[in-house]
Amino acid sequence: MRWGDMRRSENVEDRGGPSGRGGMPLGGGMKIGGGTLVVLIILSLVFGINPLQFLGMAGPETGAPPPPAPQTTAPGSPAPGAPAPADARKDFSARVVGDTEDVWNALFKAMGIDRYPPTTLTLYRGAVRSGCGTASSAAGPFYCPADQRVYLDTAFFDELSRRFGAPGDFAQAYVIAHEVGHHVQNVTGTMQKFERDAQRLDGRARNALSIRLELQADCYAGVWGHFAQRRNLLEPGDLEEGLRAAAAVGDDTIMKRTQGYVVPDAMNHGSAEQRMRWFRAGLKSGDPRTCDTFGVAQP
Ligand SMILES: [Zn+2]
């Protein structure tokens, strides 16, 4: 991917630092807002994560391994003299975010919406406090509708490569574009409708609905990829990287807070086949209207 040619977004905040997982206490502290169904969409990267921990309601987990040491596979493999990997990652992320801003700005204009309100990407290491509670790196990348931010532990890029066998810069960009897709759902009202509808459903039906939400974000990531491709920002092998990543995270996890407890059956996000298919649909069309995962009988 020729990400060096993409515009760097200002909307990236680095809360990194060498804090590791001990950087922020995870126990207690968080109050669950009453009544409102808050939906956290995350890509689950570590199987066996304790959802309570993600919500900041349990003590630090002991079962999961610590996050990998930083700075192993920075995007773009900076040459000697290039910025340190942490900076390279921030630069990479900022350029991908910037490119999604350009694409969604144009798409919103085409849809007659005045302006695309950009999301902010928060990079962190170890743990982070978000508008949706405290998250540990084990939670994986997620979008918080309450503060309209995307959260990404930079160690995730290593995870994607090492643990999920989906290396490559476009694989990383796909994940960012997927989370930006959730932001698009949020600012267009899809997420609010989803939350309203989901509240009325039982666990199984709610789960099926959440899969549609996830697959639409995959499709939106594909829509971004379509325009990246059209502007010759992709290189041979990039699309395969993206598809591999879409398949690799087929087990991603959604977590919901409903009056202070986690709905455990809301943890299925569609199969690898579904995720690749919808990513491909957006990639092919470049048109968000083809991402109507809620309108089809079987997504
Ligand atoms: Zn998602």
Side-chain angles (χ1 to χ4, degrees):
M1 200 172 82
R2 290 168 44 202
W3 56 272
D5 292 347
M6 295 175 175
R7 182 181 64 81
R8 193 188 281 113
S9 172
E10 300 286 301
N11 301 309
V12 175
E13 180 197 7
D14 196 351
R15 289 192 208 162
S19 59
R21 72 187 303 101
M24 180 184 283
L26 290 172
M30 199 186 66
K31 295 278 193 294
I32 303 290
T36 322
L37 173 71
V38 181
V39 184
L40 293 177
I41 292 93
I42 70 159
L43 292 166
S44 174
L45 301 166
V46 178
F47 300 100
I49 170 190
N50 175 4
L52 292 174
Q53 186 198 348
F54 178 74
L55 297 172
M57 290 154 53
E61 68 184 334
T62 51
Q71 305 176 357
T72 47
T73 54
S77 305
D87 293 333
R89 283 176 184 183
K90 187 183 177 187
D91 188 38
F92 169 80
S93 303
R95 288 176 186 275
V96 173
V97 170
D99 207 60
T100 63
E101 287 169 359
D102 293 349
V103 167
W104 283 108
N105 241 324
L107 288 169
F108 270 47
K109 275 207 186 84
M111 291 187 286
I113 305 170
D114 196 31
R115 197 180 72 90
Y116 164 70
T119 179
T120 296
L121 172 65
T122 302
L123 298 170
Y124 70 98
R125 292 197 65 79
V128 71
R129 201 175 295 282
S130 81
C132 295
T134 300
S136 78
S137 58
F142 66 99
Y143 176 73
C144 171
D147 62 13
Q148 305 205 349
R149 281 168 177 257
V150 173
Y151 293 86
L152 176 65
D153 187 318
T154 49
F156 162 77
F157 289 152
D158 299 329
E159 295 276 296
L160 196 59
S161 171
R162 284 202 297 239
R163 194 180 297 214
F164 292 94
D169 50 10
F170 192 76
Q172 299 166 359
Y174 151 78
V175 171
I176 294 174
H178 171 97
E179 300 304 335
V180 169
H182 284 312
H183 176 64
V184 170
Q185 292 173 323
N186 195 23
V187 297
T188 55
T190 303
M191 195 165 280
Q192 291 74 6
K193 182 176 188 318
F194 163 78
E195 290 184 18
R196 279 196 308 273
D197 293 347
Q199 265 178 324
R200 288 195 286 267
L201 298 171
D202 65 19
R204 185 186 287 254
R206 193 184 302 161
N207 196 30
L209 199 66
S210 76
I211 288 175
R212 292 176 189 266
L213 191 75
E214 288 303 316
L215 294 175
Q216 186 175 66
D218 284 335
C219 186
Y220 285 170
V223 167
W224 165 75
H226 173 92
F227 290 100
Q229 188 175 33
R230 254 178 44 180
R231 287 170 297 139
N232 292 319
L233 293 169
L234 303 192
E235 293 168 324
D238 275 347
L239 296 183
E240 289 73 15
E241 280 175 16
L243 287 165
R244 206 177 302 133
V249 293
D251 273 320
D252 73 349
T253 302
I254 191 170
M255 292 180 185
K256 298 178 175 184
R257 290 185 286 162
T258 313
Q259 292 160 356
Y261 61 89
V262 172
V263 182
D265 56 1
M267 289 205 170
N268 182 359
H269 275 64
S271 66
E273 184 276 324
Q274 284 176 307
R275 302 202 65 171
M276 287 173 69
R277 183 155 44 79
W278 281 101
F279 177 62
R280 225 184 239 125
L283 204 55
K284 195 172 163 213
S285 70
D287 184 348
R289 288 171 302 183
T290 63
C291 298
D292 187 13
T293 55
F294 293 93
V296 297
Q298 287 294 331

